[in-house]
Amino acid sequence: MKYSALNLVRNALTGNRNWTPAWRSPEPAREYDVVIVGGGGHGLATAYYLAKEHGIRRVAVLEKGWIGGGNTGRNTTIVRSNYLWTEASLLYEKSMQLWEGLSQDLNYNVMFSQRGVYNLGHTLQDMRDIERRVSANRLNGIDAEVVTAAQLKTAIPYLDTSPDARYPILGASLQRRAGVARHDAVAWGFARAADSLGVDIIEQCEVTAIRTEQGGVSAVETTRGTIRAGKVGVVVAGNASVLASMAGLRLPVESHPLQAFVSEPLKPVLDTVVMSNAVHGYVSQSDKGELVIGAGIDAYLGYGQRGSFPTIEHTMEAIITLFPIFSRVRMLRLWGGIVDVCPDACPIISKTPVAGLYFNCGWGTGGFKATPGSGWTFAHTIAQDRPHELNAPFDLERFTTGALIDEHGAAAVAH
Ligand code: FAD
Ligand code: PYC
C-alpha cells in the first residue's frame, strides 16, 4: 500500500482494515537454526543482527505476549553511555554509536534525540564522584563534562538551583550525546527490519520448557507446540530466572518492580533529561509534552507489573523538590515493569553450562539504552559460540571468579 495522505484517511475511517502489516505473523516452523525467547527490544535486535551481521536467517523470535509489551514498552527511554568502569563504558558506548545510525540502518525513525542528560550533584562527595566519572569517561573517549550550578541555572531555568533548596545543587555531569528515543519505535523498527531479512516473529507464543539432549539444548516447548533448535538465546528481562530454572540453571538475578509516570501534556518546559541520585528521581519531557518521570525500584521482589504507593509518593516528592513549578501538574498515568537485577548492577550476556543455550539478562533499570549494543554482542556470541570482546567481561563466570563490575554508582536509578 502506498503511504499517501489519502490512504491515511482511508485507513483511519476503515479501522485500518487494509493496512499492510509491518512484519509477517507466520505459524512457527518445526525447526530453526536459532530460537530467541523474548520479543523485547533486545531479543528483536539480536535476531536482526544475527541475520544482518552473521547471515543466520532461519531465526524465530518467540514472544509470549506482544512485541515490546515488556520493559521495552514500559521504560522511560533514557539513552547514555557514561558508565564508570571501562568494561561497561565500552559496551554502552558501542550501543550509543549504533543508536546514532539506527534510524538510517533500520529505515525506521526511532526518534533518537540527543538532548543531553544531566546527573546532578548535591554534596561535595557527589561532585567528587561526578568528577571521577567524567574523567573516566573521557579517558575512554566518551563525551562528558562537569557543569556548575550557575551553568545549570541558565540551561534548565525551572530547576531549583537556589542555595537554600532542601538538597542544594552544586553541579552536575553532562553527556551531550545522551538523550532519549521512542521505545515502541525501537521494537517496531527492529521487528520490521528482522522480518525483512527472513526472521519469523511469533507473538502469543510462550516458552514453557527448554529441552536438552546430551548436555546441549535441542528444543523449546511452547504454547504453540515444540520448536526444535540447536541454539536458543533467552532475553526475557524480569523473567530470566524463570527461564533459567527450565534448564536447571540458577542465575544471580532478582526481579523487582520499577515504576514510571507521565503527566498531562504541557507546552515545552524541559528540553533535556535531568536525573538526581541523591534526591532520587528523574524527569524529561516527551515529544507529546508529557513529563516522563521515574525513580528507583520497589524494594520487594515480584513479578506483578505494578508497584507500591510509597514509591509513588517518594518519586513525586523528589521531582517537586527539584522542580517546584511541577507541583501543580496533574499526573496522567503510571505503570510498572519487572527489572532483572544483578548484584553488580551490570548485565549478563553469556554462554551457559548447557551447550547452545545463551542468556542475556540482568540489565536492571538501565537496559533500554543498551538495546542495539546488547543485540549486536549477543548475536555475535550466539553465532560464534563465544563472546565478543565487548561482552566477554559480562560472562556468567564473573560470579565465580569475583571479577564483578560494580556500576551501582552510575546506574542513576538505584537497583
Ligand atoms: P523486555 O522488553 O522486557 O522483553 C522481554 C520479553 O520477554 C517480554 O516481552 C516478555 O513478554 C517476554 N517473555 C517473558 N517470558 C517469556 C516466555 N516464557 N516465553 C516467551 N516470551 C517471554 N533503561 C534505560 O536504559 N533507560 C531508561 O530510561 C529506562 N527506564 C525504565 C523505566 C521502567 C519503568 C522500567 C520498567 C525499565 C526501565 N529501563 C530503562 C530498563 C529497560 O526497560 C530494560 O532494561 C530493557 O527494556 C530490557 O529489554 P528486554 O528486551 O531485555 O526486555
Ligand atoms: O539507566 O539511565 C538509566 C535510566 C534512566 C531511567 C531509568 N534508567
Side-chain angles (χ1 to χ4, degrees):
M1 175 166 300
K2 291 223 161 47
Y3 295 98
S4 67
L6 189 62
N7 271 332
L8 207 59
V9 173
R10 187 181 297 133
N11 277 307
L13 295 177
T14 59
N16 297 329
R17 263 201 311 274
N18 300 318
W19 198 287
T20 311
W23 55 89
R24 296 163 299 125
S25 188
E27 284 302 311
R30 290 165 60 97
E31 184 164 5
Y32 291 91
D33 292 336
V34 181
V35 159
I36 301 296
V37 186
H42 290 225
L44 294 162
T46 305
Y48 170 65
Y49 291 117
L50 273 170
K52 181 187 172 217
E53 303 283 340
H54 304 279
I56 301 175
R57 295 182 176 212
R58 284 201 338 134
V59 177
V61 178
L62 310 183
E63 166 53 51
K64 75 174 176 184
W66 64 96
I67 64 162
N71 289 341
T72 297
R74 294 163 186 268
N75 79 86
T76 45
T77 79
I78 297 172
V79 174
R80 58 187 175 86
S81 61
N82 54 355
Y83 281 74
L84 175 65
W85 297 105
T86 298
E87 294 89 339
S89 291
L90 297 184
L91 178 64
Y92 288 99
E93 179 57 20
K94 169 70 185 174
S95 205
M96 179 68 85
Q97 287 167 13
L98 290 169
W99 279 112
E100 289 177 328
L102 199 61
S103 293
Q104 288 78 6
D105 185 29
L106 300 179
N107 188 24
Y108 200 97
N109 187 0
V110 299
M111 298 169 72
F112 181 47
S113 161
Q114 293 177 292
R115 60 185 66 178
V117 171
Y118 291 87
N119 291 93
L120 305 179
H122 302 270
T123 62
L124 191 55
Q125 185 58 43
D126 276 358
M127 291 313 296
R128 286 187 177 140
D129 291 344
I130 281 172
E131 279 158 21
R132 177 182 178 210
R133 181 137 68 98
V134 164
S135 300
N137 290 159
R138 288 191 180 180
L139 286 170
N140 280 319
I142 293 167
D143 70 303
E145 55 199 273
V146 179
V147 295
T148 63
Q151 287 170 308
L152 282 167
K153 192 174 166 59
T154 312
I156 313 169
Y158 295 122
L159 181 65
D160 185 0
T161 48
S162 57
D164 56 352
R166 184 168 174 205
Y167 299 95
I169 295 168
L170 304 187
S173 70
L174 167 62
Q175 185 179 22
R176 290 186 194 271
R177 286 163 64 237
V180 293
R182 176 75 204 170
H183 49 7
D184 304 314
V186 174
W188 300 335
F190 273 119
R192 193 180 73 151
D195 172 89
S196 74
L197 295 175
V199 171
D200 282 358
I201 295 164
I202 302 163
E203 295 172 284
Q204 305 296 330
C205 181
E206 179 170 357
V207 171
T208 52
I210 296 173
R211 298 278 172 236
T212 57
E213 284 168 19
Q214 294 165 353
V217 76
S218 58
V220 290
E221 300 293 342
T222 81
T223 46
R224 294 175 68 174
T226 305
I227 302 176
R228 295 189 62 81
K231 290 186 172 186
V232 173
V234 182
V235 208
V236 294
N239 288 281
S241 302
V242 177
L243 270 287
S245 69
M246 291 179 191
L249 303 174
R250 278 192 77 206
L251 295 176
V253 165
E254 289 184 339
S255 296
H256 289 266
L258 178 65
Q259 305 189 62
F261 316 81
V262 287
S263 73
E264 60 186 333
L266 308 175
K267 288 188 176 168
V269 285
L270 183 63
D271 63 0
T272 186
V273 182
V274 179
M275 313 186 74
S276 165
N277 246 352
V279 182
H280 206 201
Y282 62 89
V283 58
S284 66
Q285 188 171 22
S286 77
D287 295 326
K288 284 188 284 183
E290 300 156 341
L291 298 178
V292 182
I293 291 172
I297 54 172
D298 277 66
Y300 54 87
L301 309 181
Y303 291 104
Q305 289 171 311
R306 59 194 303 177
S308 63
F309 286 119
T311 302
I312 299 170
E313 276 194 321
H314 161 82
T315 308
M316 293 308 147
E317 192 187 350
I319 295 307
I320 292 168
T321 302
L322 296 173
F323 290 92
I325 190 179
F326 293 158
S327 63
R328 298 180 60 189
V329 174
R330 283 169 300 188
M331 300 310 293
L332 204 60
R333 43 175 210 283
L334 70 100
W335 63 88
I338 300 303
V339 298
D340 43 338
V341 173
C342 278
D344 58 356
C346 271
I348 295 166
I349 312 172
S350 183
K351 294 175 66 171
T352 70
V354 179
L357 181 64
Y358 309 85
F359 264 79
N360 179 331
C361 60
W363 294 94
T365 60
F368 177 69
K369 68 175 81 62
T371 304
S374 160
W376 193 91
T377 51
F378 199 39
H380 181 284
T381 307
I382 295 171
Q384 312 281 331
D385 196 36
R386 62 183 162 80
H388 186 272
E389 61 183 25
L390 285 172
N391 67 297
F394 299 94
D395 199 275
L396 266 170
E397 279 286 295
R398 77 179 189 275
F399 299 101
T400 43
T401 62
L404 302 182
I405 306 156
D406 187 344
E407 284 290 2
H408 281 101
V413 171
H415 68 276

